Amino acid sequence: MGIRIGIVGSGAIGTYYGAKLAHAGSDVHFLMRGDLSEVLRNGIFVRGEGENFRVAPINCYNSTKEIGPCDLVIVAVKATSNSDLVDLVPPLLHEQTMLLTLQNGLGNEEFLANHFGAERVLGGLCFIALNRSSRTKIERYAYGHIVLGEFDRPSQPRTHKVAAEFTRAAVTCTVVDDLALERWRKLIWNIPLNGLSILGGGIDTAAIIGDKDLRQAMLALMDEVIAAAQKCGHPLPSDAWREHVKRTETMGAYKPSTLQDWEAGRPLEIEPIWGEPLRRAVAAGGQMPRTEMIYAVLKKLDHNRAGAKNLTGLTGQVQTSQ
Amino acid sequence: MGIRIGIVGSGAIGTYYGAKLAHAGSDVHFLMRGDLSEVLRNGIFVRGEGENFRVAPINCYNSTKEIGPCDLVIVAVKATSNSDLVDLVPPLLHEQTMLLTLQNGLGNEEFLANHFGAERVLGGLCFIALNRSSRTKIERYAYGHIVLGEFDRPSQPRTHKVAAEFTRAAVTCTVVDDLALERWRKLIWNIPLNGLSILGGGIDTAAIIGDKDLRQAMLALMDEVIAAAQKCGHPLPSDAWREHVKRTETMGAYKPSTLQDWEAGRPLEIEPIWGEPLRRAVAAGGQMPRTEMIYAVLKKLDHNRAGAKNLTGLTGQVQTSQ
């Protein structure tokens, strides 16, 4: 018997993985709001290397009450909208419902645990680059795999069951026993590259690693993240930066998600990527001086723009977790 | 007998102090280029709290050869144009000519010493806010005093003679025995405030100290500068940041000089304010992680804009040393 899956967050990440699962025959139910009628009419189109399909009809709804209890709820809202989850999630829960956050950075599992119970919570790191080119169209540019784990405990039989659901949908899914360690490992990349892309005036990864001084700042930040992770009890090896540098050197001129958010006029996910790691490092007696500066500057930039901000349409949005 | 004074650098700083000296009867000779004919025709107007005068005729020239040897040469070009001095200065020198740099940050005395002999060199820190509202008009907004010292040695009789020349022109001038210490003391302010004003998207001092996180970043940077100064053998007291914070709290919404340069499309004085202090701290075995990040980011921003830059006119330029 398949499991009943709810998708909360109809940006590119939630829509893409939900569509993949639905296309593979999983029992998927989407919460949609502005997009509802168009998706009901046309379904969802997915295009990427080796994939090109349409899912229709789509089970979509404009309230979670209409969806009702699910076995697995995939949370893919921007972390800046987490407070909405307090009302959105309860109608989706039965006693055994799993909550899987595919959000960026640190603190999202804790948010779900605090509000809905730690035993429900899993987390996934998405390595993917997507472009939502219209309300109903998703283009995938690179990667696609998920690293999946339980919140604050090793993998369980259910973790592998969830992974199998993704695998069946042709999404590579790796199960890990230490999700927190993997979150920190991903931050080695996100903290410097997402941050410097904004501070540098809107520059891509190639511009950062190709500039002598910015590359040095990036490496110093990577060291800082690794030291902070170690201080917080997550034993990343001291050369864990190597794989990231190597990957970045081959990835071309890539715009980190925060830069994409910035260019699209969306609020920045500042707390999970910089604020929460910084607070944890400081609480553990560590220091993240460079991260602290990025954090302060990004908050100010984000805040100053929030006033002048235009509401952006839903088309042309790009969402990635890199 | 008065001394013969040459002014190299006809931005707001050079023009203001030169005009003050000339107005008081000193024998002042200005190097001017684009502005020459208009200044010859109209003289220079200075306006500020408690001062409102015109100096005419002005001794101005479009080459230093025409000026010839002086007793005191005041250097007030942007540090980014220092290489021009190699050709500009020699015609102004006799055996005893003093070179006084009124430029920002670290490294300018050394530049003059390397090219023209250390024994000639003095340095002055200008605490002033000026607006050059047209080719011939200077408005002074705040302060005005100069802190004056010898390069790499205590004050000499001649230092006091130069100070007396300024004092006679109603410019408050304090002589110090340790110029390098004072340069570092001023950097406690410039490194954080000038830097964060740009990184924060073009924000003034009030926006920085009024924001919880930026204020904390500013204080951390101030500590970093004080520690670097100490490491380099300049014994700033550990609470030397206090006077700066206090002054900043009363100065209102002030745009640091680097922000003014940025808004006017001028190149940024990155090396004297961030690059040189950083290199000295590192050479002394210290660290300036936050400064290093500002340095890398500013260089990239400056570099990226240099390509797209428009030449700006000379009117409406604001020059300050704060």
Side-chain angles (χ1 to χ4, degrees):
Chain A
M1 264 307 299
I3 59 175
R4 189 160 201 266
I5 301 173
I7 310 276
V8 177
S10 59
I13 292 273
T15 308
Y16 173 77
Y17 286 111
K20 288 285 282 183
L21 291 166
H23 185 58
S26 293
D27 181 22
V28 184
H29 303 264
F30 295 82
L31 173 68
M32 298 239 168
R33 310 221 252 183
D35 310 332
L36 183 66
S37 61
E38 200 166 333
V39 172
L40 275 175
R41 198 160 51 238
N42 299 315
I44 292 169
F45 297 85
V46 171
R47 204 165 60 180
E49 203 188 313
E51 58 187 346
N52 192 352
F53 62 86
R54 173 177 176 224
V55 187
I58 293 274
N59 304 317
C60 59
Y61 314 83
N62 64 23
S63 84
T64 49
K65 280 201 191 79
E66 293 174 62
I67 299 178
C70 295
D71 303 304
L72 172 67
V73 174
I74 295 177
V75 175
V77 298
K78 283 268 160 200
T80 48
S81 303
N82 274 355
S83 57
D84 295 350
L85 297 173
V86 177
D87 293 327
L88 289 175
V89 167
L92 301 170
L93 301 179
H94 60 57
E95 212 159 283
Q96 302 298 321
T97 302
M98 295 177 281
L99 293 174
L100 166 62
T101 164
L102 296 183
Q103 298 162 293
N104 261 325
L106 301 187
N108 295 305
E109 284 93 6
E110 287 79 355
F111 181 88
L112 296 176
N114 289 341
H115 285 87
F116 311 112
E119 70 289 352
R120 296 187 185 279
V121 181
L122 299 86
L125 289 75
C126 305
F127 295 85
I128 194 161
L130 297 170
N131 178 27
R132 190 174 179 201
S133 54
S134 79
R135 285 169 190 268
T136 58
K137 288 199 184 75
I138 303 279
E139 289 171 66
R140 179 181 59 81
Y141 289 116
Y143 314 110
H145 71 283
I146 291 177
V147 170
L148 186 75
E150 293 281 334
F151 170 58
D152 221 12
R153 65 191 160 255
S155 63
Q156 308 291 316
R158 71 173 188 183
T159 330
H160 292 275
K161 201 172 155 193
V162 172
E165 197 78 16
F166 280 110
T167 304
R168 191 168 67 101
V171 174
T172 306
C173 188
T174 314
V175 172
V176 293
D177 278 329
D178 188 346
L179 177 65
L181 183 74
E182 298 311 314
R183 288 242 175 249
W184 276 100
R185 193 194 304 278
K186 192 159 188 256
L187 287 171
I188 297 172
W189 198 92
N190 288 121
I191 285 179
L193 278 300
N194 290 41
L196 293 173
S197 73
I198 306 283
L199 269 63
I203 54 177
D204 60 39
T205 54
I208 294 168
I209 61 165
D211 179 276
K212 186 175 81 62
D213 297 291
L214 287 176
R215 186 189 178 95
Q216 193 173 320
M218 174 194 81
L219 292 172
L221 275 157
M222 287 179 166
D223 282 343
E224 187 171 293
V225 178
I226 293 167
Q230 292 169 343
K231 198 88 186 172
C232 292
H234 307 292
L236 286 173
S238 294
D239 69 345
W241 55 272
R242 278 187 204 283
E243 57 175 316
H244 288 291
V245 171
K246 206 168 149 187
R247 190 166 53 92
T248 310
E249 276 167 347
T250 61
M251 105 188 348
Y254 183 81
K255 291 187 179 179
S257 63
T258 309
L259 177 54
Q260 297 182 17
D261 286 341
W262 177 258
E263 290 183 348
R266 291 190 292 262
L268 308 182
E269 292 187 308
I270 296 174
E271 295 306 329
I273 301 180
W274 296 276
E276 189 61 23
L278 174 61
R279 284 187 289 272
R280 292 191 192 181
V282 169
Q287 280 200 319
M288 303 184 80
R290 298 168 183 85
T291 303
E292 188 177 48
M293 256 201 32
I294 295 180
Y295 176 63
V297 166
L298 289 182
K299 273 181 76 169
K300 187 67 179 176
L301 291 173
D302 192 52
H303 176 80
N304 277 358
R305 213 184 41 174
K309 197 181 120 184
N310 296 316
L311 286 174
T312 54
L314 283 166
T315 55
Q317 288 196 3
V318 174
Q319 187 181 1
T320 74
S321 73
Q322 210 25 280
Chain B
M1 263 309 299
I3 59 175
R4 190 162 201 265
I5 301 173
I7 310 275
V8 177
S10 58
I13 292 273
T15 307
Y16 173 78
Y17 287 111
K20 289 286 281 182
L21 291 165
H23 184 58
S26 294
D27 182 21
V28 183
H29 302 265
F30 295 83
L31 172 68
M32 299 240 169
R33 312 224 250 180
D35 310 332
L36 183 67
S37 60
E38 200 166 332
V39 172
L40 276 175
R41 198 161 49 240
N42 299 317
I44 292 168
F45 297 84
V46 171
R47 205 166 60 183
E49 203 188 313
E51 59 187 344
N52 192 352
F53 61 87
R54 172 176 176 226
V55 187
I58 293 275
N59 303 317
C60 60
Y61 314 83
N62 64 22
S63 83
T64 49
K65 280 200 190 80
E66 293 173 61
I67 298 179
C70 295
D71 304 304
L72 172 66
V73 174
I74 295 177
V75 175
V77 299
K78 282 268 161 201
T80 46
S81 303
N82 274 355
S83 57
D84 296 350
L85 297 173
V86 178
D87 293 327
L88 289 175
V89 167
L92 301 170
L93 301 179
H94 60 56
E95 212 160 279
Q96 303 296 322
T97 302
M98 295 177 280
L99 294 173
L100 166 60
T101 164
L102 296 182
Q103 299 163 293
N104 261 326
L106 301 187
N108 295 305
E109 284 92 6
E110 287 78 357
F111 181 88
L112 296 177
N114 289 341
H115 286 87
F116 312 111
E119 69 288 352
R120 297 187 184 278
V121 181
L122 298 86
L125 289 74
C126 305
F127 294 84
I128 196 160
L130 297 170
N131 178 27
R132 192 176 179 199
S133 53
S134 79
R135 284 168 190 269
T136 58
K137 289 199 185 76
I138 303 281
E139 290 170 65
R140 180 181 58 80
Y141 289 116
Y143 316 109
H145 71 283
I146 292 177
V147 171
L148 186 75
E150 293 280 337
F151 169 58
D152 221 10
R153 62 188 162 257
S155 63
Q156 308 290 315
R158 71 173 188 183
T159 331
H160 292 274
K161 202 172 154 194
V162 172
E165 198 77 18
F166 281 110
T167 304
R168 190 167 68 98
V171 173
T172 306
C173 188
T174 314
V175 172
V176 293
D177 278 330
D178 188 346
L179 178 65
L181 183 73
E182 298 311 313
R183 288 241 175 252
W184 277 99
R185 194 194 302 279
K186 192 161 188 259
L187 288 171
I188 297 172
W189 197 92
N190 288 122
I191 285 180
L193 277 300
N194 290 40
L196 293 173
S197 74
I198 306 282
L199 270 62
I203 55 177
D204 60 38
T205 55
I208 294 168
I209 61 165
D211 179 277
K212 186 174 80 64
D213 297 292
L214 287 175
R215 185 188 179 95
Q216 193 173 321
M218 174 195 79
L219 292 172
L221 275 156
M222 287 181 167
D223 282 344
E224 186 171 295
V225 178
I226 293 167
Q230 292 168 343
K231 197 88 187 172
C232 292
H234 307 291
L236 285 174
S238 295
D239 69 344
W241 55 272
R242 280 188 204 281
E243 55 174 319
H244 287 293
V245 172
K246 206 167 150 187
R247 190 166 53 91
T248 310
E249 277 167 346
T250 62
M251 100 185 356
Y254 183 80
K255 290 186 179 180
S257 63
T258 310
L259 177 55
Q260 297 182 19
D261 286 341
W262 178 258
E263 290 183 349
R266 291 190 292 264
L268 308 181
E269 293 187 310
I270 296 173
E271 295 306 329
I273 301 180
W274 296 275
E276 189 61 23
L278 174 62
R279 284 187 289 272
R280 292 191 192 181
V282 169
Q287 281 201 319
M288 302 184 79
R290 298 170 184 84
T291 303
E292 188 178 49
M293 255 200 34
I294 294 180
Y295 176 64
V297 166
L298 290 182
K299 272 181 76 170
K300 187 68 180 178
L301 291 173
D302 193 52
H303 176 82
N304 277 358
R305 214 183 41 172
K309 195 181 121 185
N310 296 318
L311 286 173
T312 54
L314 284 166
T315 56
Q317 288 196 1
V318 175
Q319 186 180 3
T320 72
S321 74
Q322 211 22 286

